[in-house]
Amino acid sequence: MIKRKLMMVERIMYVDSGTPLNCVFTAKIKGTLHEADFKTALEKIQKKHSLLRSRIDTDTEQYPFFIEEREMEAIPLRIIDRESDEDWLHESEKEWFRMFEDHRKPLAQLVWIKGNEVSEILWVLPHCICDGTSQVTLMRELLCLLDDPTMELDTYQAFSSVDDFLPSGFNTKKKVRKARLYLLMARLFFLMQKKSKKRNLGKNYVIHWKLNPEITNQITSKCKAHGVSVHSLLCASFMQAFQEIRGAEAKRKVISPVDVRHFIPEIKQDHVFAFAPTIELSLKKGNHGIFDQAGHIKKDLLEKLEKIEARELLWMGEQMHPLVERMISMLKSTHGGHDITLSNMGKINIPDQYQRFELETIMSPTVAFPWLNSNTLVTTTYKQEMDFTLMSNEDFLSRQKATEIKDKALELLTVSLQN
């Protein structure tokens, strides 16, 4: 049975009991689906993942805890009639603000936008329990079970604390001294910061688009020819677009989340987990072409990936719990030093052909961060199509400006493919 304190990173994504921060992941299905099969599938998925049988207790301890409930209700299924191809966007925006406050119900919700021949399925989960890989896993499991309700899922033992991930030679005494120094420096940093009352009061939005297989393959081929990654090219294109549209307001930096499973193999691909280390990447000074910048970014990314000590990061974070509320307050009130958080989830490993239906496409996850700088770009690739969701808040970056930045980035990409 789970009873563990939320990790520092989970607490930041939890925010507080009155602030929703949900991720929504959508799949478009061709074929006939049945409500009874949904309920069977959700029961088996909930049985596998203990976090889907847990609630967050904020009352009995100093810090929030996950507590697994023996009598947790089933994952709710909300069914609505499908009227247009845009329904999933409208429902996503609604689900961003769902409050998971009923302790009898799990930290998950499924939405079925039901059509005669086409449906969309939306997984809705608080960000404090899942990352992008978790969402892909849950969608894959759901589709497989909808196709074959007799299939069984293997359960796994949930970790009890970050200490479970520490290597045998981890010198806790030495790290404690380092952590105390970091905590002291962080306290001094926050004392020096002027408190800001600035908050986003506008409307959150999402802009969605796809690149067809021809353009997607051109990007991939061109990146290979230049020895750069698709991720570094996207970073370069969007940072340059921010620079050209926002001028002096542009930071020339992006933040890129990385899948923690690359560093901690005990966290399996099919485990629900929330922590993703981040890397800051920037354009090099001067006027350079997009592929030149992409080469610089790739080199910088590889160097920083080698230096990530994910196990120590998790442990060190646990020493910072006294400052979490100040961290959240700063995220809500400061512009940050970056233009955008860019999450490239890469190729999505979910089958498209099933006995009962076809997975026509997937849409990149959407999210509405409560931070002042809520600029977020998520991209996925499925069936040789790159898919993008660009999100922000009207107070921080207007939808019109975001559209201009998107168009400029696509223009830069297009020009780079022609050269």
Side-chain angles (χ1 to χ4, degrees), residues 109-138:
Q109 163 87 18
L110 200 75
V111 180
W112 176 16
I113 304 176
K114 183 180 180 181
N116 293 327
E117 297 181 357
V118 175
S119 294
E120 281 85 16
I121 301 169
L122 286 66
W123 265 113
V124 184
L125 300 134
H127 207 343
C128 65
I129 72 164
C130 74
D131 61 356
T133 299
S134 304
Q135 291 181 300
V136 172
T137 290
L138 293 174

Side-chain angles (χ1 to χ4, degrees), residues 239-331:
M239 278 191 280
Q240 186 63 41
F242 267 91
Q243 172 97 8
E244 296 194 21
I245 300 300
R246 304 205 76 189
E249 294 182 18
K251 308 294 186 181
R252 297 169 60 89
K253 295 181 186 293
V254 299
I255 290 176
S256 289
V258 183
D259 192 341
V260 72
R261 296 163 185 80
H262 295 314
F263 311 100
I264 306 179
E266 300 96 297
I267 307 168
K268 306 298 185 184
Q269 285 292 316
D270 66 335
H271 290 187
V272 170
F273 197 80
F275 173 54
T278 58
I279 291 176
E280 185 180 87
L281 301 167
S282 59
L283 294 174
K284 63 179 177 179
K285 295 179 180 179
N287 294 320
H288 301 276
I290 291 298
F291 278 104
D292 189 19
Q293 290 284 12
H296 160 75
I297 291 167
K298 179 186 176 183
K299 180 175 180 292
D300 189 30
L301 175 61
L302 292 175
E303 289 175 354
K304 289 177 176 177
L305 282 172
E306 287 183 2
K307 295 177 182 178
I308 286 182
E309 297 288 346
R311 299 173 194 272
E312 182 174 332
L313 278 175
L314 278 172
W315 184 86
M316 197 68 72
E318 294 310 281
Q319 319 311 309
M320 302 294 167
H321 276 279
L323 297 178
V324 168
E325 291 182 3
R326 296 187 198 180
M327 293 177 187
I328 292 171
S329 178
M330 186 176 74
L331 286 167

Side-chain angles (χ1 to χ4, degrees), residues 91-343:
E91 295 305 320
S92 293
E93 293 185 2
K94 288 181 187 177
E95 294 295 340
W96 287 342
F97 305 107
R98 172 176 294 280
M99 292 298 299
F100 290 93
E101 54 191 350
D102 188 339
H103 287 172
R104 297 166 299 177
K105 294 181 179 179
L107 299 170
Q109 163 87 18
L110 200 75
V111 180
W112 176 16
I113 304 176
K114 183 180 180 181
N116 293 327
E117 297 181 357
V118 175
S119 294
E120 281 85 16
I121 301 169
L122 286 66
W123 265 113
V124 184
L125 300 134
H127 207 343
C128 65
I129 72 164
C130 74
D131 61 356
T133 299
S134 304
Q135 291 181 300
V136 172
T137 290
L138 293 174
M139 187 66 78
R140 186 191 307 112
E141 291 175 348
L142 176 67
L143 295 177
C144 288
L145 285 163
L146 288 174
D147 192 49
D148 179 11
T150 66
M151 188 181 82
E152 297 296 333
L153 300 177
D154 294 329
T155 60
Y156 59 94
Q157 182 66 43
F159 71 98
S160 57
S161 79
V162 299
D163 290 348
D164 293 356
F165 303 123
L166 297 181
S168 56
F170 193 82
N171 189 335
T172 304
K173 290 183 179 180
K174 183 178 179 181
K175 300 298 182 183
V176 164
R177 291 195 294 270
K178 183 178 178 181
R180 286 174 178 168
L181 176 60
Y182 281 6
L183 186 60
L184 176 61
M185 292 171 63
R187 289 185 189 277
L188 291 173
F189 170 78
F190 284 117
L191 283 173
M192 294 170 63
Q193 297 298 306
K194 293 182 179 179
K195 288 189 177 181
S196 172
K197 294 183 179 179
K198 173 67 175 172
R199 294 290 188 276
N200 273 337
L201 301 175
K203 184 179 185 298
N204 288 86
Y205 61 82
V206 56
I207 301 169
H208 173 252
W209 73 96
K210 286 182 178 288
L211 299 181
N212 64 41
E214 181 183 359
I215 295 176
T216 298
N217 289 332
Q218 285 179 11
I219 290 173
T220 303
S221 299
K222 201 77 170 181
C223 285
K224 287 181 179 178
H226 283 265
V228 302
S229 64
V230 172
H231 181 71
S232 63
L233 181 64
L234 292 175
C235 287
S237 300
F238 275 89
M239 278 191 280
Q240 186 63 41
F242 267 91
Q243 172 97 8
E244 296 194 21
I245 300 300
R246 304 205 76 189
E249 294 182 18
K251 308 294 186 181
R252 297 169 60 89
K253 295 181 186 293
V254 299
I255 290 176
S256 289
V258 183
D259 192 341
V260 72
R261 296 163 185 80
H262 295 314
F263 311 100
I264 306 179
E266 300 96 297
I267 307 168
K268 306 298 185 184
Q269 285 292 316
D270 66 335
H271 290 187
V272 170
F273 197 80
F275 173 54
T278 58
I279 291 176
E280 185 180 87
L281 301 167
S282 59
L283 294 174
K284 63 179 177 179
K285 295 179 180 179
N287 294 320
H288 301 276
I290 291 298
F291 278 104
D292 189 19
Q293 290 284 12
H296 160 75
I297 291 167
K298 179 186 176 183
K299 180 175 180 292
D300 189 30
L301 175 61
L302 292 175
E303 289 175 354
K304 289 177 176 177
L305 282 172
E306 287 183 2
K307 295 177 182 178
I308 286 182
E309 297 288 346
R311 299 173 194 272
E312 182 174 332
L313 278 175
L314 278 172
W315 184 86
M316 197 68 72
E318 294 310 281
Q319 319 311 309
M320 302 294 167
H321 276 279
L323 297 178
V324 168
E325 291 182 3
R326 296 187 198 180
M327 293 177 187
I328 292 171
S329 178
M330 186 176 74
L331 286 167
K332 285 183 173 181
S333 61
T334 58
H335 288 75
H338 61 288
D339 293 312
I340 195 165
T341 298
L342 198 162
S343 176

Side-chain angles (χ1 to χ4, degrees), residues 26-38:
T26 305
K28 185 177 182 180
I29 308 297
K30 274 187 178 179
T32 303
L33 304 172
H34 302 283
E35 184 175 349
D37 292 336
F38 272 103

